[in-house]
Amino acid sequence: MSTRALRRLKGKQRGQEALDLGDLTSGDSPEEQAAGAEEQLDTANVSSPSGRNSRKANKNKAQKNFSNLYELIGDADNEAEEISADEEAEKPDGNKTSGMERNENGDIEKPDQKKEGASTKSSSGDRVKKKKKKKKTKVTSEDRKGAVPDDNIDLLLENLEQTNGLSLQTEDCGGSDRKSVLHVEHRNLNPETELKRYFGARAVQGDQRPRQRNRQFHRTTWMTSPKDSWPRFSRPGISMTLLQSKDGIQYFTFEHSRDYQQVQFKFLDAVESMDPNNIVALLQLNPYHIDSLLQLSDVCRIQEDQEMARDLIERAMYSFECTFHPLFSLTSGTSRLDYLRPENRAFYLALFKHMMFLEKRGCPRTALEYCKLILSLDPDSDPLCMLLLIDFLMLRSREYQSLLQLYQDWEEHRNLSQLPNFAFSTALCHFHLSQQEDIDPEESDKRRQKADQTLQNALIMFPGVLMPLLDLCTVQPDVTVTSHAFFGPKSRIGQPPALAELTALYVGRTCSLWREAAAMLWLEESVKEVLHRVDAKDPLVEDCQNKRKQRYQSAPRNIHRHVLLSEIKEATSSLPLDVTSQPVMGFDPLPPLDSVISYTRPERQRVGASNESTLSLFFRSLLPNFNLQGGQRQEDDMEVARAGQELNQEVNRLMVAMRDMLANIRFQEPPREDNPYRDEDEWD
């Protein structure tokens, strides 16, 4: 660094004199100055009386103290901190400074130091010293002001909680027992992190280099990475607000602006038209409308365009993340969103669909993070019933200890053992832990015994799981198993409807985990042991049978919603009739019956198709200005309108029947003259 730059950093002007290194020692603490003064007196007694050697020794001493010249810039702040600490220590007792003297600026100096400083300083050194002293007093006054709140920081935090209503997350908050389960890591939300772990960074990224020309700069997000092929992002009209903060939990909600509400009404009209092109046209005008992105993603997935379907979901998630509240956290597990509000449901559905794409893509660890994120948004009601899926993702990502910890923490208040997926997944988890190579033989035996006991209890509690599981695994069971009444067809037929739905969901989802040879041999041994216990009339068998009869009579609405979103055909076929008979929309499947509606859709003004006769419609098709009634009459007879509607329905049915008849007509081509195989009497 040049002398000019040093001069600017020190705050000096160009015309000021250079500061001698010997004068810089005066910025030291009083103890160091006293020690330096004693060393100078000693060297003066030993050296020649001329005094030149003493000045050289003093200069060498200064150069030893400052080996790096650039450290001199921050010495004033360090000195101020040391002096302020000494003043705070000496402030309560004024008698301790009896051997000291205070100068005009409040600094403490020893008498010897003061005399020596008066004899050695020049006029220019006095000016620099005064500037330094003024700077010291300013820093010490600021330290005095900042020392009081540092001592009472707990009181300040409590006052902030009371005034603002925002409580900090501590270990004693309401969700402390779920913190280990619902904790989400930012780096695991990116699927590239998992893919790099499997295949390496070079295989994932390849030779991709960011283009510098025409490059769009997007906001940094955690869940998705914006693509240059996306439309230019603009605020879609969604915002997030904080409703309340209670016991360390923050409750948020999304809100729609007036313009976004109008777009939402147009989207509902497009859905009712049953034409996906209307949704595409709406997205061209509003490229970041959430429900349109979700609905069109389902259409692309049905048409087997998986890449486009996934891209639309990622665009919806990016739109959501750009509207997050500053206090909303994805990783803390203390942010809540109420599923009863329609504005919040789209965020749940976007996360769920993105999680399913990640699981099919081969990223179970990333999908597990999103599963925990969805569960943390509303762990009490669990609107998408993520507890039916989290065990499968933990087994696929080999998070065995996390699964056992979840089961241990939540079993007491959620009865996870009554769910077939947790009953079998915990047993499978103990089995995989016993098969690890780096485990002690004694620990392995304990794990294996625990796995055997857990699997046998699961088979006794849910006997209807075995035969469908073996069927999907393409395993032919033994005759003793198929002929036994406990695992026979009667066990599946006599299941309550809710239990049949849970069983079909678990079997259809986790059959791939049981296809391993070691797991199948272990299952075979456990089945034989269960049959022995059943024949011996184990009291647990009768107890589990009574539990199955009393429970699982009807499944809650969130389980039906989870089955519809999972799209597992074994479970979908077991849904009750009241669910399958009603229309299910992809952007809001099975909405809660007690929804909290913030705004309502205005009633559409229907054209007089419902209260006009067929003859009137015919004349209207010929003459658009024709109006048989001459105006809107409020006293129209409802019976006439109903009769006209029924007539329209009959005409439509007749048209459909005629269309089908014409489509099925096949005309036979007449035979050619040069056909040698022609029958002579065919056309006679």
Side-chain angles (χ1 to χ4, degrees):
M1 186 181 291
S2 62
T3 57
R4 183 179 180 183
L6 262 178
R7 196 163 50 240
R8 288 184 177 180
L9 288 174
K10 294 177 184 178
K12 292 176 55 178
Q13 299 297 328
R14 187 168 181 175
Q16 285 185 339
E17 297 180 10
L19 189 64
D20 195 288
L21 289 175
D23 297 334
L24 291 173
T25 56
S26 60
D28 295 337
S29 61
E31 290 80 8
E32 293 180 355
Q33 292 179 359
E38 291 176 0
E39 290 180 4
Q40 289 180 4
L41 291 176
D42 294 339
T43 54
N45 295 330
V46 175
S47 61
S48 62
S50 63
R52 295 179 181 177
N53 294 332
S54 62
R55 285 195 296 270
K56 290 182 180 180
N58 191 9
K59 192 171 184 179
N60 294 333
K61 177 67 171 57
Q63 293 178 354
K64 287 181 181 179
N65 290 337
F66 301 101
S67 59
N68 187 1
L69 294 177
Y70 306 112
E71 293 179 357
L72 300 175
I73 300 172
D75 284 345
D77 298 333
N78 298 331
E79 293 166 2
E81 292 177 359
E82 293 176 0
I83 294 174
S84 62
D86 294 336
E87 288 179 358
E88 290 293 334
E90 296 171 359
K91 187 175 180 180
D93 191 1
N95 297 328
K96 292 182 180 180
T97 60
S98 59
M100 304 283 188
E101 291 184 3
R102 292 186 179 270
N103 57 8
E104 57 184 0
N105 292 322
D107 294 334
I108 302 173
E109 296 181 355
K110 289 186 178 181
D112 298 336
Q113 176 188 352
K114 191 173 181 180
K115 293 178 182 179
E116 183 182 358
S119 61
T120 56
K121 289 180 182 176
S122 62
S123 61
S124 62
D126 291 339
R127 288 197 299 267
V128 177
K129 180 65 178 177
K130 288 181 181 179
K131 290 182 180 180
K132 287 188 176 182
K133 288 179 180 179
K134 290 180 181 179
K135 192 172 183 180
K136 290 178 191 176
T137 54
K138 291 181 181 179
V139 175
T140 52
S141 62
E142 292 176 359
D143 291 341
R144 290 174 184 174
K145 294 179 181 178
V148 178
D150 290 341
D151 297 336
N152 301 327
I153 191 169
D154 295 333
L155 284 173
L156 287 177
L157 291 177
E158 292 178 2
N159 293 333
L160 284 175
E161 292 175 4
Q162 294 176 359
T163 54
N164 297 334
L166 305 177
S167 57
L168 299 176
Q169 178 186 1
T170 57
E171 295 180 356
D172 299 333
C173 65
S176 60
D177 56 338
R178 305 172 188 170
K179 183 178 179 181
S180 60
V181 178
L182 304 182
H183 179 68
V184 180
E185 296 182 6
H186 276 140
R187 61 185 182 89
N188 290 330
L189 292 175
N190 189 0
E192 291 187 358
T193 303
E194 187 172 3
L195 293 176
K196 290 177 184 178
R197 193 184 309 126
Y198 295 152
F199 308 107
R202 181 174 297 179
V204 175
Q205 295 179 349
D207 296 333
Q208 297 179 359
R209 294 181 180 178
R211 299 178 180 178
Q212 299 297 331
R213 294 182 179 180
N214 299 328
R215 185 180 179 185
Q216 298 181 10
F217 293 94
H218 300 277
R219 176 179 176 178
T220 304
T221 53
W222 290 108
M223 296 190 296
T224 56
S225 298
K227 302 177 182 178
D228 294 335
S229 60
W230 289 357
R232 184 178 182 87
F233 179 76
S234 60
R235 294 285 181 180
I238 301 179
S239 60
M240 177 183 280
T241 58
L242 176 64
L243 295 178
Q244 63 174 344
S245 179
K246 183 179 179 181
D247 297 333
I249 306 298
Q250 287 82 34
Y251 297 89
F252 299 89
T253 185
F254 288 101
E255 292 183 351
H256 294 171
S257 63
R258 290 289 184 87
D259 295 337
Y260 192 89
Q261 292 178 13
Q262 298 299 323
V263 178
Q264 186 73 12
F265 298 152
K266 295 179 182 179
F267 165 74
L268 296 177
D269 295 340
V271 170
E272 291 180 356
S273 67
M274 305 297 292
D275 188 1
N277 295 324
N278 294 333
I279 302 178
V280 174
L282 184 63
L283 274 178
Q284 290 178 354
L285 298 177
N286 305 276
Y288 287 93
H289 182 252
I290 303 298
D291 288 344
S292 299
L293 293 171
L294 297 179
Q295 190 71 24
L296 191 60
S297 175
D298 291 341
V299 175
C300 295
R301 186 172 46 81
I302 293 173
Q303 297 176 354
E304 296 183 357
D305 190 357
Q306 302 293 332
E307 188 68 24
M308 187 63 184
R310 186 177 62 192
D311 186 77
L312 293 173
I313 294 297
E314 291 179 357
R315 198 196 302 181
M317 293 177 59
Y318 177 75
S319 179
F320 270 123
E321 193 168 2
C322 290
T323 60
F324 279 172
H325 193 275
L327 295 179
F328 184 81
S329 175
L330 296 172
T331 59
S332 64
T334 58
S335 300
R336 301 287 185 264
L337 283 175
D338 192 2
Y339 194 80
L340 298 179
R341 298 178 179 270
E343 297 86 352
N344 298 337
R345 296 173 198 162
F347 185 59
Y348 278 90
L349 297 175
L351 290 176
F352 190 92
K353 294 176 184 294
H354 184 62
M355 176 193 64
M356 298 303 294
F357 280 122
L358 289 172
E359 192 271 329
K360 294 178 182 178
R361 191 182 175 185
C363 300
R365 185 66 183 85
T366 311
L368 175 61
E369 293 298 310
Y370 281 97
C371 182
K372 294 191 292 184
L373 174 59
I374 299 173
L375 186 59
S376 67
L377 294 177
D378 195 353
D380 296 329
S381 60
D382 194 8
L384 298 186
C385 213
M386 303 310 297
L387 288 177
L388 299 178
L389 176 64
I390 190 171
D391 61 303
F392 169 70
L393 296 176
M394 284 183 173
L395 287 175
R396 281 207 59 190
S397 56
R398 299 181 181 180
E399 296 288 334
Y400 303 130
Q401 295 294 344
S402 300
L403 177 57
L404 295 179
Q405 185 67 29
L406 171 65
Y407 181 79
Q408 181 180 357
D409 294 344
W410 289 46
E411 167 62 19
E412 183 177 355
H413 63 281
R414 298 298 290 269
N415 294 326
L416 298 183
S417 60
Q418 304 304 311
L419 297 175
N421 57 316
F422 269 96
F424 284 90
S425 295
T426 51
L428 196 60
C429 183
H430 285 293
F431 174 74
H432 285 300
L433 288 176
S434 65
Q435 299 294 316
Q436 292 180 352
E437 298 179 355
D438 56 347
I439 194 174
D440 296 336
E442 296 181 359
E443 183 68 20
S444 178
D445 294 340
K446 291 181 181 179
R447 291 285 187 184
R448 184 58 183 269
Q449 293 177 2
K450 182 66 174 178
D452 295 342
Q453 182 181 1
T454 308
L455 181 58
Q456 292 173 16
N457 294 338
L459 289 171
I460 293 175
M461 183 65 191
F462 307 104
V465 174
L466 179 62
M467 299 307 295
L469 181 62
L470 295 178
D471 189 14
L472 289 179
C473 293
T474 63
V475 174
Q476 184 66 28
D478 195 359
V479 181
T480 57
V481 178
T482 55
S483 60
H484 202 282
F486 190 74
F487 292 114
K490 293 183 179 180
S491 63
R492 286 175 287 170
I493 296 174
Q495 286 186 132
L499 182 58
E501 185 177 352
L502 292 174
T503 300
L505 180 66
Y506 173 73
V507 171
R509 174 172 286 156
T510 61
C511 60
S512 59
L513 300 177
W514 293 91
R515 289 175 180 170
E516 300 179 3
M520 193 56 63
L521 290 175
W522 170 57
L523 178 61
E524 181 182 359
E525 296 175 359
S526 299
V527 168
K528 292 181 180 178
E529 186 63 28
V530 168
L531 291 179
H532 289 308
R533 294 176 62 178
V534 171
D535 295 336
K537 296 184 178 181
D538 193 333
L540 182 62
V541 178
E542 185 177 359
D543 185 22
C544 293
Q545 185 177 1
N546 294 331
K547 289 181 180 179
R548 288 195 302 270
K549 291 180 180 180
Q550 296 175 1
R551 305 169 183 175
Y552 311 106
Q553 295 301 321
S554 62
R557 198 173 179 83
N558 59 343
I559 293 182
H560 300 326
R561 191 181 298 118
H562 178 87
V563 171
L564 289 173
L565 291 173
S566 300
E567 296 183 352
I568 298 176
K569 60 181 181 179
E570 292 84 4
T572 306
S573 60
S574 62
L575 286 171
L577 185 61
D578 58 344
V579 176
T580 56
S581 60
Q582 58 180 317
V584 178
M585 298 298 178
F587 64 93
D588 191 8
L590 292 182
L593 301 177
D594 53 347
S595 300
V596 179
I597 306 298
S598 59
Y599 63 93
T600 57
R601 180 185 179 187
E603 295 183 0
R604 298 179 59 188
Q605 296 181 357
R606 297 183 179 181
V607 185
S610 60
N611 52 9
E612 292 186 3
S613 62
T614 307
L615 185 61
S616 175
L617 293 175
F618 174 72
F619 282 110
R620 182 180 292 276
S621 64
L622 297 178
L623 301 173
N625 295 329
F626 173 79
N627 189 0
L628 182 62
Q629 299 176 353
Q632 295 182 357
R633 297 187 305 171
Q634 299 295 332
E635 62 274 5
D636 288 341
D637 192 1
M638 297 302 297
E639 295 181 358
V640 177
R642 191 179 300 109
Q645 187 176 3
E646 292 178 357
L647 180 60
N648 292 333
Q649 293 178 357
E650 293 295 333
V651 172
N652 292 332
R653 292 175 186 173
L654 180 60
M655 294 296 294
V656 171
M658 292 179 62
R659 192 181 299 111
D660 293 341
M661 182 184 66
L662 293 175
N664 294 329
I665 293 177
R666 297 290 184 271
F667 296 98
Q668 187 176 4
E669 296 182 358
R672 298 180 180 178
E673 295 294 335
D674 56 350
N675 188 4
Y677 301 99
R678 179 191 173 191
D679 191 0
E680 294 289 340
D681 301 331
E682 184 176 358
W683 293 96
D684 293 339

